[in-house]
Amino acid sequence: MINPKYEYLREYVERIPKDFETIGTVIHSGRNLIKMITVDGLDINVKRYTIPPLINRIAYAFFRPSKGKRAFVYPEKLLEKGFETPCPIAYIKSCEDVVTAFAEFTARLHEAGILHLDYSPGNILYDKIGEEYHFSLVDINRMHFGEVDIKKGCANFARLWGQTPFFILLGKEYARSRGMDEEECVRLVLHYRKKFWNRYRRRHQVWFQLDI
């Protein structure tokens, strides 16, 4: 996400994760690393957050806004109310690897003709061994075995928690893994998600924010 005022810096900003180790001057080194970088005569501070533990990475991917996103959004709120704080330029989220791995795992599951009928965060276990994510299913007494078409597959994500960008990425990666149309998969994932949660919150209290 880039502040429209600094759209002209997009190409440079998008290279920062790759070039971060070799550019700028370190002004703080600790749990998180902050560097000052000069680009087009503008001095900017870039903060790289420590990669959180796996359980938090999943939580951020499925549910909570990341620290980086909050650091990008909150300054605008202060500035709008007349309080001074450095103007936010951009934030880059690098938690996509676990989402991709989860989408690929689900695609393999569905290609094998396996549909978990309670596919919710509490029933999906995960771990990272080396550079690979490993997923395992529990509470498997409600299962369907047979062909899983595009509608059944995309509807299977409906019970998950998360913000819209997560589901868009999930739909795209799932479609890629199964050789399906990306736009159609994303449309179906968002449709079934909205349908499930609208029905759910008519009967239950939802303790997290839904952006549907």
Side-chain angles (χ1 to χ4, degrees), residues 63 102 104 136:
F63 176 45
F102 176 64
E104 291 174 348
S136 180

Side-chain angles (χ1 to χ4, degrees), residues 70-87:
R70 283 177 281 163
F72 176 76
V73 172
Y74 289 177
E76 284 290 352
K77 294 183 179 295
L78 292 176
L79 292 169
E80 287 173 3
K81 295 181 181 297
F83 295 94
E84 293 187 10
T85 189
C87 186

